[in-house]
Amino acid sequence: ASLSRDQMAVKLKEAGIDSRPFFVPNHQMPYLPAQVRKQRFPVAEKLSKQGMNLPSSVKLTDDQVTYVAKTILKIVKNS
């Protein structure tokens, strides 16, 4: 069985890796009129529910990037 984004985030946090949900689709921004927010954009909505941001910075070391990648592979393998 595959992990949900939220389940993966919990496991990453347990390994000391921060993550956050991907994004809120533009058409769902609260400042937009209701008629715009009611529109459906299935791809954007799916990505917003399943995607996640992983650590990213020009200051990440190669070892940190490797740790994140290996941790994700281990989590997926053990799920």
Side-chain angles (χ1 to χ4, degrees), residues 36-51:
V36 174
R37 293 192 317 268
K38 290 179 183 177
Q39 294 181 44
R40 293 293 140 241
F41 296 88
V43 174
E45 292 166 11
K46 182 176 181 179
L47 286 172
S48 75
K49 292 177 184 170
Q50 294 179 349

PDB file of all heavy atoms in Angstrom, residues 36-51:
ATOM      1  N   VAL A  36     -15.159  32.205  -8.821  1.00  0.00           N
ATOM      2  CA  VAL A  36     -13.855  31.687  -9.251  1.00  0.00           C
ATOM      3  C   VAL A  36     -13.464  30.489  -8.388  1.00  0.00           C
ATOM      4  O   VAL A  36     -13.020  29.461  -8.897  1.00  0.00           O
ATOM      5  CB  VAL A  36     -12.768  32.781  -9.182  1.00  0.00           C
ATOM      6  CG1 VAL A  36     -11.386  32.199  -9.478  1.00  0.00           C
ATOM      7  CG2 VAL A  36     -13.086  33.919 -10.136  1.00  0.00           C
ATOM      8  N   ARG A  37     -13.646  30.618  -7.080  1.00  0.00           N
ATOM      9  CA  ARG A  37     -13.267  29.529  -6.160  1.00  0.00           C
ATOM     10  C   ARG A  37     -14.091  28.271  -6.390  1.00  0.00           C
ATOM     11  O   ARG A  37     -13.641  27.167  -6.057  1.00  0.00           O
ATOM     12  CB  ARG A  37     -13.391  30.002  -4.712  1.00  0.00           C
ATOM     13  CG  ARG A  37     -12.369  31.078  -4.354  1.00  0.00           C
ATOM     14  CD  ARG A  37     -12.290  31.337  -2.858  1.00  0.00           C
ATOM     15  NE  ARG A  37     -13.566  31.412  -2.185  1.00  0.00           N
ATOM     16  CZ  ARG A  37     -14.269  32.524  -1.971  1.00  0.00           C
ATOM     17  NH1 ARG A  37     -13.817  33.678  -2.397  1.00  0.00           N
ATOM     18  NH2 ARG A  37     -15.410  32.491  -1.337  1.00  0.00           N
ATOM     19  N   LYS A  38     -15.277  28.393  -6.955  1.00  0.00           N
ATOM     20  CA  LYS A  38     -16.140  27.229  -7.211  1.00  0.00           C
ATOM     21  C   LYS A  38     -15.704  26.453  -8.446  1.00  0.00           C
ATOM     22  O   LYS A  38     -16.126  25.315  -8.644  1.00  0.00           O
ATOM     23  CB  LYS A  38     -17.598  27.667  -7.371  1.00  0.00           C
ATOM     24  CG  LYS A  38     -18.223  28.137  -6.085  1.00  0.00           C
ATOM     25  CD  LYS A  38     -19.658  28.571  -6.317  1.00  0.00           C
ATOM     26  CE  LYS A  38     -20.270  29.121  -5.036  1.00  0.00           C
ATOM     27  NZ  LYS A  38     -21.635  29.613  -5.264  1.00  0.00           N
ATOM     28  N   GLN A  39     -14.873  27.050  -9.286  1.00  0.00           N
ATOM     29  CA  GLN A  39     -14.423  26.353 -10.487  1.00  0.00           C
ATOM     30  C   GLN A  39     -13.550  25.158 -10.105  1.00  0.00           C
ATOM     31  O   GLN A  39     -12.959  25.124  -9.040  1.00  0.00           O
ATOM     32  CB  GLN A  39     -13.638  27.308 -11.385  1.00  0.00           C
ATOM     33  CG  GLN A  39     -14.484  28.425 -11.958  1.00  0.00           C
ATOM     34  CD  GLN A  39     -13.668  29.329 -12.857  1.00  0.00           C
ATOM     35  OE1 GLN A  39     -12.890  28.866 -13.667  1.00  0.00           O
ATOM     36  NE2 GLN A  39     -13.860  30.624 -12.684  1.00  0.00           N
ATOM     37  N   ARG A  40     -13.497  24.184 -10.974  1.00  0.00           N
ATOM     38  CA  ARG A  40     -12.727  22.978 -10.707  1.00  0.00           C
ATOM     39  C   ARG A  40     -11.559  22.875 -11.674  1.00  0.00           C
ATOM     40  O   ARG A  40     -11.709  23.033 -12.884  1.00  0.00           O
ATOM     41  CB  ARG A  40     -13.604  21.722 -10.852  1.00  0.00           C
ATOM     42  CG  ARG A  40     -14.681  21.606  -9.804  1.00  0.00           C
ATOM     43  CD  ARG A  40     -14.048  21.367  -8.412  1.00  0.00           C
ATOM     44  NE  ARG A  40     -14.753  22.124  -7.403  1.00  0.00           N
ATOM     45  CZ  ARG A  40     -14.220  23.071  -6.624  1.00  0.00           C
ATOM     46  NH1 ARG A  40     -12.981  23.394  -6.696  1.00  0.00           N
ATOM     47  NH2 ARG A  40     -14.931  23.700  -5.734  1.00  0.00           N
ATOM     48  N   PHE A  41     -10.401  22.621 -11.120  1.00  0.00           N
ATOM     49  CA  PHE A  41      -9.189  22.362 -11.873  1.00  0.00           C
ATOM     50  C   PHE A  41      -8.586  21.092 -11.275  1.00  0.00           C
ATOM     51  O   PHE A  41      -7.784  21.155 -10.335  1.00  0.00           O
ATOM     52  CB  PHE A  41      -8.228  23.555 -11.778  1.00  0.00           C
ATOM     53  CG  PHE A  41      -8.783  24.802 -12.411  1.00  0.00           C
ATOM     54  CD1 PHE A  41      -9.567  25.682 -11.685  1.00  0.00           C
ATOM     55  CD2 PHE A  41      -8.539  25.062 -13.748  1.00  0.00           C
ATOM     56  CE1 PHE A  41     -10.095  26.819 -12.262  1.00  0.00           C
ATOM     57  CE2 PHE A  41      -9.063  26.207 -14.346  1.00  0.00           C
ATOM     58  CZ  PHE A  41      -9.841  27.083 -13.606  1.00  0.00           C
ATOM     59  N   PRO A  42      -9.021  19.932 -11.779  1.00  0.00           N
ATOM     60  CA  PRO A  42      -8.693  18.655 -11.143  1.00  0.00           C
ATOM     61  C   PRO A  42      -7.202  18.375 -10.955  1.00  0.00           C
ATOM     62  O   PRO A  42      -6.806  17.832  -9.924  1.00  0.00           O
ATOM     63  CB  PRO A  42      -9.319  17.613 -12.068  1.00  0.00           C
ATOM     64  CG  PRO A  42     -10.304  18.338 -12.904  1.00  0.00           C
ATOM     65  CD  PRO A  42      -9.858  19.763 -12.957  1.00  0.00           C
ATOM     66  N   VAL A  43      -6.381  18.741 -11.908  1.00  0.00           N
ATOM     67  CA  VAL A  43      -4.947  18.447 -11.779  1.00  0.00           C
ATOM     68  C   VAL A  43      -4.352  19.274 -10.640  1.00  0.00           C
ATOM     69  O   VAL A  43      -3.644  18.744  -9.775  1.00  0.00           O
ATOM     70  CB  VAL A  43      -4.203  18.705 -13.108  1.00  0.00           C
ATOM     71  CG1 VAL A  43      -2.698  18.544 -12.924  1.00  0.00           C
ATOM     72  CG2 VAL A  43      -4.714  17.755 -14.190  1.00  0.00           C
ATOM     73  N   ALA A  44      -4.652  20.564 -10.616  1.00  0.00           N
ATOM     74  CA  ALA A  44      -4.135  21.420  -9.549  1.00  0.00           C
ATOM     75  C   ALA A  44      -4.642  20.966  -8.182  1.00  0.00           C
ATOM     76  O   ALA A  44      -3.896  20.955  -7.201  1.00  0.00           O
ATOM     77  CB  ALA A  44      -4.532  22.873  -9.805  1.00  0.00           C
ATOM     78  N   GLU A  45      -5.905  20.571  -8.111  1.00  0.00           N
ATOM     79  CA  GLU A  45      -6.482  20.123  -6.846  1.00  0.00           C
ATOM     80  C   GLU A  45      -5.834  18.823  -6.375  1.00  0.00           C
ATOM     81  O   GLU A  45      -5.551  18.655  -5.186  1.00  0.00           O
ATOM     82  CB  GLU A  45      -7.990  19.981  -6.989  1.00  0.00           C
ATOM     83  CG  GLU A  45      -8.674  21.329  -7.174  1.00  0.00           C
ATOM     84  CD  GLU A  45     -10.107  21.236  -7.654  1.00  0.00           C
ATOM     85  OE1 GLU A  45     -10.685  20.150  -7.665  1.00  0.00           O
ATOM     86  OE2 GLU A  45     -10.652  22.299  -8.036  1.00  0.00           O
ATOM     87  N   LYS A  46      -5.577  17.903  -7.310  1.00  0.00           N
ATOM     88  CA  LYS A  46      -4.926  16.637  -6.950  1.00  0.00           C
ATOM     89  C   LYS A  46      -3.500  16.889  -6.458  1.00  0.00           C
ATOM     90  O   LYS A  46      -3.081  16.342  -5.438  1.00  0.00           O
ATOM     91  CB  LYS A  46      -4.917  15.691  -8.149  1.00  0.00           C
ATOM     92  CG  LYS A  46      -4.307  14.347  -7.841  1.00  0.00           C
ATOM     93  CD  LYS A  46      -4.395  13.402  -9.033  1.00  0.00           C
ATOM     94  CE  LYS A  46      -3.797  12.048  -8.684  1.00  0.00           C
ATOM     95  NZ  LYS A  46      -3.890  11.112  -9.816  1.00  0.00           N
ATOM     96  N   LEU A  47      -2.767  17.730  -7.177  1.00  0.00           N
ATOM     97  CA  LEU A  47      -1.403  18.046  -6.753  1.00  0.00           C
ATOM     98  C   LEU A  47      -1.380  18.682  -5.368  1.00  0.00           C
ATOM     99  O   LEU A  47      -0.518  18.370  -4.544  1.00  0.00           O
ATOM    100  CB  LEU A  47      -0.737  18.979  -7.760  1.00  0.00           C
ATOM    101  CG  LEU A  47      -0.302  18.348  -9.071  1.00  0.00           C
ATOM    102  CD1 LEU A  47       0.167  19.421 -10.046  1.00  0.00           C
ATOM    103  CD2 LEU A  47       0.788  17.323  -8.846  1.00  0.00           C
ATOM    104  N   SER A  48      -2.334  19.557  -5.096  1.00  0.00           N
ATOM    105  CA  SER A  48      -2.346  20.235  -3.799  1.00  0.00           C
ATOM    106  C   SER A  48      -2.634  19.273  -2.656  1.00  0.00           C
ATOM    107  O   SER A  48      -2.209  19.498  -1.529  1.00  0.00           O
ATOM    108  CB  SER A  48      -3.358  21.375  -3.790  1.00  0.00           C
ATOM    109  OG  SER A  48      -4.676  20.889  -3.706  1.00  0.00           O
ATOM    110  N   LYS A  49      -3.336  18.180  -2.945  1.00  0.00           N
ATOM    111  CA  LYS A  49      -3.657  17.188  -1.909  1.00  0.00           C
ATOM    112  C   LYS A  49      -2.573  16.133  -1.750  1.00  0.00           C
ATOM    113  O   LYS A  49      -2.477  15.506  -0.703  1.00  0.00           O
ATOM    114  CB  LYS A  49      -4.983  16.507  -2.234  1.00  0.00           C
ATOM    115  CG  LYS A  49      -6.172  17.429  -2.113  1.00  0.00           C
ATOM    116  CD  LYS A  49      -7.449  16.737  -2.514  1.00  0.00           C
ATOM    117  CE  LYS A  49      -8.617  17.724  -2.467  1.00  0.00           C
ATOM    118  NZ  LYS A  49      -9.830  17.173  -3.055  1.00  0.00           N
ATOM    119  N   GLN A  50      -1.776  15.917  -2.784  1.00  0.00           N
ATOM    120  CA  GLN A  50      -0.799  14.827  -2.744  1.00  0.00           C
ATOM    121  C   GLN A  50       0.650  15.293  -2.688  1.00  0.00           C
ATOM    122  O   GLN A  50       1.513  14.549  -2.255  1.00  0.00           O
ATOM    123  CB  GLN A  50      -0.976  13.929  -3.971  1.00  0.00           C
ATOM    124  CG  GLN A  50      -2.301  13.202  -3.971  1.00  0.00           C
ATOM    125  CD  GLN A  50      -2.474  12.330  -5.198  1.00  0.00           C
ATOM    126  OE1 GLN A  50      -1.713  12.407  -6.154  1.00  0.00           O
ATOM    127  NE2 GLN A  50      -3.483  11.491  -5.168  1.00  0.00           N
ATOM    128  N   GLY A  51       0.920  16.516  -3.164  1.00  0.00           N
ATOM    129  CA  GLY A  51       2.301  16.975  -3.254  1.00  0.00           C
ATOM    130  C   GLY A  51       2.847  17.498  -1.941  1.00  0.00           C
ATOM    131  O   GLY A  51       2.111  17.892  -1.047  1.00  0.00           O
TER     132      GLY A  51
END
